[in-house]
Amino acid sequence: EIVLAQSPATLSVSPGERVTLSCRASQTVNTNLAWYQQRPGQSPRIIIYDASTRATGIPDRFSGSGSGTDFTLTIAGLQSEDFAVYYCQHYKNLPPMYTFGQGTKLEI
Amino acid sequence: QVQLVQSGPEVKKSGASVKLSCKASGYNFNNHYIHWVRQAPGQGPEWMGMIKPNNQRTSLAQSFQGRVTMATDTSTSAVYMELSGLAPEDTAMYYCARGATFCPSADCYTIFDSWGQGALVSVSS
């Protein structure tokens, strides 16, 4: 079973800054990795899939990179609505399995 | 627009069962799997399983096999998930999510592109 380790657990940043969040897989997942944003009291929202493809409606200040076991989510020019928890997720077929990391919380 | 509206919060005792619903609108209900994901307080999400509305084809995470039943009602575009043998560690927010397929190569994969608002299930001993 693949385990996703996210770091750091919490990141204190200021609006306007650039931040990079990390997700490391216990074994290679190619580019089968997505990132979700969860604002307080809300449901998760897809941000990035296929490691680097932005989902519909996601601003270009969000970017994803990586392949194999190491992935990053970068947010350039943090805005107030970006302060949330971010989860990485691995997805696979045959059999289907969807595994989430424990999240990184961005706080002001 | 795509909407998934879930049933309300539930309070249960250990050993009981809970049945949650998720009503879809704004898209062709038969074309997308519906997934169930739960999130315990302060934890990351955990995938439970999925169901294809038009044929009731179901796939469950190993940790939920034998405890979860899923069903759909295509006449009302509703999906149901029943979790039995509840324990306090099942206390969590339960979400339904729509699966969206993309094909970056010869293989196709699914992500969750729309989510319900969640239903809190609280289990006490």
Side-chain angles (χ1 to χ4, degrees):
Chain A
E1 180 182 335
I2 290 174
V3 176
L4 299 176
Q6 292 188 243
S7 61
T10 304
L11 197 52
S12 297
V13 293
S14 299
E17 287 187 1
R18 175 190 177 96
V19 294
T20 298
L21 285 61
S22 174
C23 177
R24 176 165 288 179
S26 58
Q27 56 187 281
T28 183
V29 298
N30 298 314
T31 57
N32 297 346
L33 192 105
W35 291 90
Y36 292 80
Q37 175 194 68
Q38 187 173 32
R39 294 171 176 153
Q42 295 189 15
S43 307
R45 176 175 76 137
I46 182 79
I47 299 291
I48 298 283
Y49 63 94
D50 199 24
S52 60
T53 302
R54 273 188 303 276
T56 302
I58 301 303
D60 60 7
R61 65 179 182 274
F62 290 89
S63 62
S65 65
S67 67
T69 60
D70 292 304
F71 301 87
T72 59
L73 173 69
T74 299
I75 311 172
L78 276 168
Q79 300 191 7
S80 57
E81 61 265 30
D82 300 335
F83 290 92
V85 181
Y86 292 84
Y87 296 98
C88 59
Q89 178 211 36
H90 166 57
Y91 45 82
K92 67 177 282 292
N93 298 328
L94 303 175
M97 177 56 66
Y98 304 86
T99 306
F100 290 86
Q102 286 302 301
T104 291
K105 180 180 181 181
L106 287 187
E107 62 178 25
I108 300 176
Chain B
Q1 75 281 19
V2 176
Q3 267 197 312
L4 299 174
V5 179
Q6 298 185 232
S7 49
E10 301 270 4
V11 178
K12 297 291 182 181
K13 292 284 193 183
S14 290
S17 298
V18 67
K19 188 173 184 178
L20 306 177
S21 69
C22 171
K23 185 170 172 57
S25 61
Y27 70 97
N28 189 328
F29 181 63
N30 290 324
N31 286 357
H32 294 262
Y33 277 88
I34 291 291
H35 298 252
W36 288 89
V37 177
R38 76 176 185 181
Q39 188 173 27
Q43 301 297 310
E46 179 183 18
W47 181 72
M48 301 177 68
M50 65 191 200
I51 186 167
K52 186 78 182 294
N54 61 348
N55 59 16
Q56 310 266 349
R57 181 177 176 181
T58 303
S59 183
L60 300 177
Q62 190 166 9
S63 56
F64 293 101
Q65 290 178 5
R67 269 214 311 151
V68 165
T69 303
M70 296 183 184
T72 64
D73 182 345
T74 55
S75 68
T76 58
S77 299
V79 181
Y80 302 92
M81 189 280 293
E82 185 169 23
L83 179 62
S84 61
L86 289 170
E89 51 266 34
D90 291 316
T91 294
M93 187 72 81
Y94 288 74
Y95 296 99
C96 60
R98 189 182 81 156
T101 300
F102 71 99
C103 305
S105 60
D107 297 319
C108 294
Y109 301 96
T110 298
I111 55 172
F112 307 149
D113 71 342
S114 293
W115 295 63
Q117 83 277 19
L120 181 61
V121 175
S122 302
V123 184
S124 63
S125 55

